[in-house]
Amino acid sequence: MMCTTYTQTNPQKLSSSFFSLPRKNLISIRDLEKKHILHILNLARNFKKTPPKPLLKDKLMGIYFAEPSTRTRLSFEAAMKRLGGNSLGISDIKTSSIQKGESLQDTLQILGEYVDLLVVRHPLEGSARAASLATNIPVINGGDGGNEHPTQTLLDLFSILECQGSLESISIAFVGDLKYSRTVHSLALASCFFNIRIYFISPSCLQMPSHICHELKRSGCRFSFHPTLEEIIKKIDILYMTRIQKERFLNPLEYETSHMDFSIDSNILSQAKKSLKILHPLPRLKEIPKYLDHSPHAYYFEQAKNGLYIRQALLCLLLLTPEEMAAHGY
Amino acid sequence: MDTKTRIVTAIEKGTVIDHIQAGQALKIVKILGLEHSKKNLTIGLKLESATCDTKDIIKIHNWHISEEDSQKVTIFSPHLSINVIDHYQVLKKYTPQLPPFISSLIACPNSQCISNHEEINTYFYLEKICKDVFFRCKFCERPFSHHTIQPQNTL
């Protein structure tokens, strides 16, 4: 009999009054409960259906990106500007005082004096949590090393809900680099809320980290490991592809020797459910060939677009009170 | 003739930390700040034990462990026992409770954790899963067993 006794003392867990208080952070998907996730998705759906008014006029968002980014940074900036606000910040640390040896916390404490909210991306794990301790303004984790990417998880869930009609009891296959892919870690953890069946397919050296698997098991999540996609393609509703992240390998030899060919093609897709959708956090390399972009299964560009609405929802929920939101009809 | 001998001799007065998980005693000595102190210590490593395969043991002469320190040592060996000794007799024996969180005492074993690169107080939450104990880093969110954690170098 599996022992499921589990106790945790975690004062960072948000209370049910998360949305009644501005100045809270989004650092980890673990900080959210199911009702918070559904609330965010619902607001994002409203924003996608009807573009919101300039709810964040006169608000300023600070960006600190110490790692390359296209979608996350640009969608946050677009989200803020389309809500009437503005943004400033650092997207190239070579131009900042980090080069003079200034600590991350000092940099963000100063930046936090100029803006109303911070979005932080950094290669070290836990950096967003450290950022939240350096400032009193809300901090959003835009990706901390190989740890988490909670806003990506929210837009992934939004996309799945949109294309499948429900999040409950669907099946997802995660394919590729599961070891270093923070988007996969976050989404797998969030899947536990919705009784999602998970299939992992990856090179042996890039498997899902054991500490994530243990947490999935403790949460009662059903998951299994498979050597090939062909084995489970007929069972799944969502195919979540990932890029092998060369930049995360501490040992370059490990990257060169890992088996890279976990790509898809039309032959594999011919065996899939008609309703199957392909997601990818992008950028993609060879794992999804370009000719599949026009396949009815391809959903990754719509997925990227949904980042705008999710980030608009998060910015509003962190910068406005429920009363202010209600005054605008939300 | 009684031919039995103790591998680690009894102490007249002080504290005996017994049933320490084998291999963990030196971490406990470090976290108690005893490695550079003038206190008399007797340490036994990988001794045979009736209750577990092997154990470590530490005897500190003329010193009584505080409640705060007794919680610290359980981090490295959750099932150890503390014995208060006087006149060669055990006055009190107990297993301290694990603290719900640990701040600043231990380093994060994850080299990619921000706490190993910035001047930040480490912080770990206790997680109990069946009989196993894990400490989850507040920053990188990874859980670590008491086997893998080390005292911080500042101690």
Side-chain angles (χ1 to χ4, degrees):
Chain A
M1 183 176 78
M2 186 177 78
C3 179
T4 55
T5 306
Y6 171 65
T7 59
Q8 178 180 7
T9 310
N10 186 341
Q12 294 294 320
K13 194 79 175 177
L14 294 172
S15 70
S16 59
S17 58
F18 170 72
F19 295 114
S20 69
L21 294 171
R23 298 191 176 187
K24 287 293 183 183
N25 307 303
L26 179 58
I27 306 298
S28 165
I29 206 70
R30 292 183 181 88
D31 294 343
L32 297 175
E33 296 174 27
K34 184 177 178 178
K35 60 183 176 184
H36 301 138
I37 293 175
L38 293 174
H39 187 66
I40 294 166
L41 300 189
N42 194 45
L43 186 58
R45 183 168 53 189
N46 284 338
F47 286 169
K48 185 169 185 177
K49 189 177 171 187
T50 308
K53 301 168 196 172
L55 305 172
L56 300 182
K57 190 168 175 288
D58 299 328
K59 297 286 186 185
L60 192 57
M61 175 179 72
I63 293 270
Y64 183 88
F65 273 54
E67 277 190 322
S69 172
T70 302
R71 280 147 297 280
T72 304
R73 183 173 64 84
L74 292 178
S75 64
F76 264 113
E77 293 194 36
M80 193 65 182
K81 287 177 180 174
R82 285 181 179 275
L83 284 166
N86 217 328
S87 70
L88 60 83
I90 299 165
S91 54
D92 180 1
I93 59 167
K94 290 178 192 162
T95 60
S96 80
S97 288
I98 293 284
Q99 298 307 307
K100 300 178 192 173
E102 185 173 54
S103 69
L104 173 69
Q105 288 200 300
D106 280 358
T107 301
L108 294 179
Q109 184 170 355
I110 299 301
L111 184 53
E113 298 294 335
Y114 303 145
V115 298
D116 301 300
L117 175 144
L118 271 174
V119 182
V120 178
R121 172 176 281 192
H122 195 277
L124 291 175
E125 297 172 20
S127 47
R129 186 75 69 192
S132 71
L133 299 179
T135 177
N136 290 325
I137 62 172
V139 174
I140 296 178
N141 183 3
D144 60 329
N147 185 31
E148 280 218 47
H149 196 346
T151 65
Q152 178 71 42
T153 294
L154 291 166
L155 75 91
D156 289 344
L157 289 171
F158 182 72
S159 304
I160 294 169
L161 178 61
E162 193 176 54
C163 67
Q164 298 296 318
S166 174
L167 288 170
E168 298 289 343
S169 303
I170 60 162
S171 298
I172 302 179
F174 292 104
V175 181
D177 182 349
L178 308 187
K179 182 178 179 181
Y180 297 112
S181 175
R182 58 193 171 205
T183 65
V184 168
H185 301 166
S186 291
L187 184 54
L189 291 172
S191 298
C192 299
F193 287 124
F194 303 102
N195 196 33
I196 291 175
R197 176 65 165 93
I198 297 176
Y199 300 91
F200 294 131
I201 299 105
S202 69
S204 56
C205 63
L206 293 176
Q207 288 189 347
M208 184 65 100
S210 58
H211 69 276
I212 301 280
C213 293
H214 288 148
E215 196 161 346
L216 294 177
K217 196 173 178 184
R218 288 201 306 266
S219 301
C221 184
R222 293 169 298 141
F223 62 94
S224 52
F225 301 91
H226 302 269
T228 63
L229 187 49
E230 283 84 346
E231 210 171 277
I232 49 90
I233 188 72
K234 291 177 184 174
K235 299 181 185 180
I236 57 173
D237 303 297
I238 295 289
L239 176 54
Y240 197 100
M241 301 294 294
T242 63
R243 171 182 64 95
I244 306 292
Q245 299 190 39
K246 184 178 181 181
E247 67 275 16
R248 300 274 178 233
F249 280 74
L250 296 176
N251 179 358
L253 271 179
E254 197 182 9
Y255 174 76
E256 296 301 334
T257 55
S258 66
H259 293 285
M260 301 302 174
D261 190 17
F262 279 78
S263 58
I264 54 172
D265 56 30
S266 51
N267 185 43
I268 293 174
L269 290 177
S270 67
Q271 304 166 55
K273 292 182 188 176
K274 270 191 178 175
S275 58
L276 175 127
K277 295 297 181 195
I278 305 168
L279 299 184
H280 193 303
L282 302 177
R284 52 120 177 237
L285 298 177
K286 296 178 183 174
E287 59 274 6
I288 305 179
K290 269 200 79 64
Y291 73 83
L292 288 180
D293 291 354
H294 300 291
S295 156
H297 296 292
Y299 210 78
Y300 31 93
F301 292 123
E302 190 69 20
Q303 175 193 6
K305 181 180 169 186
N306 286 336
L308 173 67
Y309 312 113
I310 281 291
R311 285 157 183 146
Q312 283 182 316
L314 286 169
L315 290 171
C316 288
L317 289 168
L318 287 169
L319 288 171
L320 300 176
T321 63
E323 293 74 26
E324 287 168 327
M325 292 291 289
H328 290 286
Y330 295 103
Chain B
M1 183 167 68
D2 184 358
T3 59
K4 289 184 183 174
T5 57
R6 289 176 187 273
I7 294 175
V8 181
T9 56
I11 60 171
E12 181 182 354
K13 184 178 178 181
T15 300
V16 174
I17 306 174
D18 201 356
H19 302 108
I20 301 169
Q21 197 151 11
Q24 299 290 84
L26 297 180
K27 293 180 190 175
I28 290 174
V29 167
K30 187 168 183 179
I31 205 161
L32 289 175
L34 294 173
E35 57 184 338
H36 301 300
S37 80
K38 291 181 181 176
K39 294 183 177 54
N40 289 322
L41 296 181
T42 309
I43 303 173
L45 303 177
K46 297 181 187 174
L47 307 177
E48 280 184 14
S49 169
T51 52
C52 46
D53 285 336
T54 53
K55 68 175 185 183
D56 292 350
I57 191 168
I58 303 171
K59 299 190 178 185
I60 310 113
H61 302 246
N62 298 315
W63 182 77
H64 288 298
I65 193 168
S66 67
E67 188 177 335
E68 185 186 343
D69 281 344
S70 67
Q71 281 200 322
K72 283 182 194 176
V73 301
T74 58
I75 295 167
F76 299 103
S77 185
H79 304 295
L80 57 72
S81 60
I82 304 275
N83 299 269
V84 179
I85 308 292
D86 199 5
H87 297 294
Y88 295 102
Q89 301 295 316
V90 177
L91 293 185
K92 185 180 171 187
K93 180 175 182 173
Y94 63 98
T95 297
Q97 274 212 323
L98 279 160
F101 60 86
I102 306 161
S103 179
S104 307
L105 292 176
I106 55 178
C108 183
N110 176 13
S111 63
Q112 294 304 298
C113 180
I114 189 79
S115 66
N116 289 315
H117 297 264
E118 292 253 324
E119 212 174 303
I120 294 175
N121 288 335
T122 58
Y123 197 100
F124 294 82
Y125 306 108
L126 170 71
E127 289 186 5
K128 281 186 192 174
I129 303 150
C130 297
K131 289 183 182 176
D132 293 328
V133 169
F134 293 90
F135 298 98
R136 187 180 291 277
C137 175
K138 169 181 175 170
F139 295 99
C140 69
E141 300 184 319
R142 294 198 190 194
F144 301 100
S145 77
H146 58 275
H147 304 284
T148 55
I149 54 177
Q150 297 282 344
Q152 278 207 305
N153 288 331
T154 49
L155 290 174

